[in-house]
Amino acid sequence: MRELEYNFTYREKDKGFQVILSYKDSKGRWKQKSKQGFKTKKLAKIAGDKLLDEVKEKTASEIIDEALEGITFKQLADLFMKENEPLLEYETILVYQSALKQAQALWDLPVTEISHMNLAKLINEMSVAASSKKTYFSKIKRIFNYAVSPCKIILTNPCAGVTIPKDKRQKKIKTLSNQEFLNLLDYARKESYETYIKLALAGYAGLRYSEILGLTWNDINFKTMELTVSKQYGRTGKGQYKMKSTKSMNGYRTIPIPVELTKILLQYKKSVPLQINSRLFADVSNNSTAVNSIISGGGYTITIHGLRHTYASRLVANGVDVKTVAALIGDTVETVIKTYVHYTDEMRSKAKEDIIKIFA
């Protein structure tokens, strides 16, 4: 790493001593700082040392590591992944890998030569949806942040200010009305009792599929009619699955469960043998294909995750505030507003009734 080059000059001036600090900045330009008015040269030297400390502190972030100056983006990404993989969830690692595939145009370019224009062009040429562009670009930006600090290869992140094009397509997340949900449960119960229980948990409690598979009987309090989400069952490697912590701090939550779901779970507990690990379901993976196949077999164009959307939308339609909905489903308020809350037929019908009452 390039060391700070500097020297001091002392001279008598205006019946006192002056200290001049000359130093080279990160771009190799000589600069000066000075102080004067000291009675002795010794005091001037002490002031010079303080000046040097200030300069070192100020320029520390501007010093480029010469050993890494010619590194390519692919080499940088490999360094980043090697250092961070042990700290990342397996699913997050897969996202980084996908992002790097989309960034192949940058692989052989020296990091110091990659510009804002290179990145803007990369975004425009990505053959994925706008939402995926946003996700992938956030990972690429994180790698360039790593180049700034701690690697000190570049001074600023070239990703700054790059605009991600918005998806102009109108997205409509599918939900079910209450009657459609009840009809789906009736159909699923005839096809697969276990699938019926999973759908009930998704629609009556808003759980993610990985959270459903992570449930143990200790998580369900039948007396207080509450369910605690503290873990999930997910992928930890290729073909490897196990219990993990929730996706975020928001994911850890205790939620009230309706009487109907309480009855369904009590009946299920009585009818199935208790597993040693106390899990409700013995699935060895978190693949929901089989469950979704049963749903589509009944003529429903929705997935089990869509029942989570249904749960959130029904809460809002019945007057539950957005902050409470976010807490119940384990997401942020922003995510609830953007993703889970939609103006459904049920909400439209209730709005019509409310307007008639208000203006009667």
Side-chain angles (χ1 to χ4, degrees):
M1 186 173 291
R2 186 185 294 128
E3 294 292 333
L4 182 67
E5 293 183 51
Y6 66 92
N7 59 66
F8 288 112
T9 302
Y10 302 96
R11 66 179 182 179
E12 292 186 49
K13 185 178 181 181
D14 299 331
K15 298 181 181 180
F17 285 89
Q18 179 187 37
V19 58
I20 302 170
L21 169 63
S22 302
Y23 66 94
K24 260 187 182 181
D25 66 11
S26 60
K27 295 182 180 179
R29 298 171 299 193
W30 280 100
K31 292 186 175 181
Q32 287 187 337
K33 277 183 172 289
S34 66
K35 280 193 174 183
Q36 63 188 50
F38 302 101
K39 291 183 179 180
T40 65
K41 189 174 182 181
K42 184 177 180 180
L43 290 174
K45 286 183 177 180
I46 293 172
D49 290 338
K50 288 183 179 179
L51 274 179
L52 179 60
D53 289 340
E54 290 173 7
V55 168
K56 283 183 176 180
E57 186 176 346
K58 184 179 178 181
T59 60
S61 61
E62 298 179 354
I63 298 173
I64 302 297
D65 191 334
E66 292 178 327
L68 297 174
E69 247 181 321
I71 193 172
T72 65
F73 177 74
K74 182 63 168 61
Q75 290 170 330
L76 172 69
D78 290 342
L79 277 177
F80 173 85
M81 294 304 296
K82 185 177 180 180
E83 183 174 325
N84 288 278
E85 266 190 29
L87 307 174
L88 299 174
E89 290 281 344
Y90 181 69
E91 301 293 344
T92 304
I93 292 171
L94 294 181
V95 176
Y96 269 106
Q97 290 174 350
S98 297
L100 290 171
K101 284 182 181 177
Q102 290 291 327
Q104 286 189 47
L106 304 178
W107 281 12
D108 298 328
L109 295 179
V111 174
T112 53
E113 294 180 15
I114 296 174
S115 66
H116 180 281
M117 289 183 64
N118 293 134
L119 291 159
K121 182 181 179 184
L122 178 70
I123 284 295
N124 289 330
E125 293 180 354
M126 279 188 184
S127 56
V128 293
S131 58
S132 295
K133 287 185 179 184
K134 185 177 180 180
T135 299
Y136 294 157
F137 193 67
S138 70
K139 305 306 178 190
I140 293 168
K141 188 175 182 178
R142 176 67 188 85
I143 293 172
F144 277 107
N145 279 339
Y146 178 73
V148 175
S149 178
C151 290
K152 297 185 182 297
I153 302 169
I154 50 179
L155 299 180
T156 58
N157 192 327
C159 294
V162 175
T163 303
I164 311 295
K166 292 183 179 180
D167 193 346
K168 296 180 181 179
R169 296 173 299 175
Q170 186 68 32
K171 291 183 179 179
K172 187 177 180 182
I173 294 179
K174 294 176 182 177
T175 60
L176 297 181
S177 68
N178 186 44
Q179 190 56 56
E180 288 172 330
F181 172 58
L182 295 176
N183 292 343
L184 172 59
L185 289 184
D186 287 339
Y187 169 78
R189 183 166 189 170
K190 297 170 187 174
E191 297 295 316
S192 165
Y193 186 50
E194 190 174 284
T195 297
Y196 160 69
I197 303 299
K198 291 175 179 177
L199 297 184
L201 282 162
Y204 280 126
L207 269 59
R208 301 175 177 89
Y209 191 61
S210 59
E211 294 172 341
I212 291 171
L213 298 184
L215 286 175
T216 64
W217 289 113
N218 295 329
D219 297 322
I220 302 168
N221 189 325
F222 289 104
K223 289 184 179 179
T224 61
M225 294 174 58
E226 290 179 323
L227 183 154
T228 298
V229 179
S230 60
K231 53 196 174 303
Q232 60 178 325
Y233 187 76
R235 187 161 51 165
T236 57
K238 190 173 183 179
Q240 298 176 338
Y241 298 84
K242 70 176 184 180
M243 289 289 193
K244 307 189 297 182
S245 60
T246 55
K247 292 187 75 173
S248 65
M249 285 301 294
N250 292 329
Y252 187 96
R253 62 202 188 275
T254 297
I255 57 179
I257 53 177
V259 174
E260 188 59 33
L261 180 57
T262 305
K263 291 179 180 178
I264 291 171
L265 292 174
L266 275 171
Q267 184 59 43
Y268 178 63
K269 188 175 183 181
K270 292 176 183 177
S271 63
V272 295
L274 182 65
Q275 298 186 63
I276 295 175
N277 57 17
S278 196
R279 284 180 64 195
L280 272 67
F281 308 103
D283 299 53
V284 294
S285 82
N286 66 350
N287 192 317
S288 59
T289 302
V291 171
N292 290 331
S293 294
I294 290 175
I295 296 173
S296 62
Y300 298 89
T301 56
I302 197 172
T303 64
I304 187 168
H305 193 74
L307 297 183
R308 175 173 162 82
H309 301 318
T310 297
Y311 173 80
S313 296
R314 285 192 66 193
L315 292 179
V316 174
N318 285 277
V320 180
D321 66 272
V322 174
K323 285 186 178 180
T324 301
V325 174
L328 290 172
I329 66 173
D331 256 320
T332 63
V333 171
E334 182 183 9
T335 299
V336 170
I337 293 171
K338 288 184 177 180
T339 310
Y340 294 109
V341 180
H342 305 278
Y343 191 51
T344 62
D345 291 337
E346 196 170 349
M347 293 168 71
R348 189 179 291 107
S349 177
K350 187 175 185 303
K352 181 179 178 180
E353 292 174 9
D354 290 342
I355 289 171
I356 291 172
K357 290 178 184 177
I358 291 169
F359 294 99

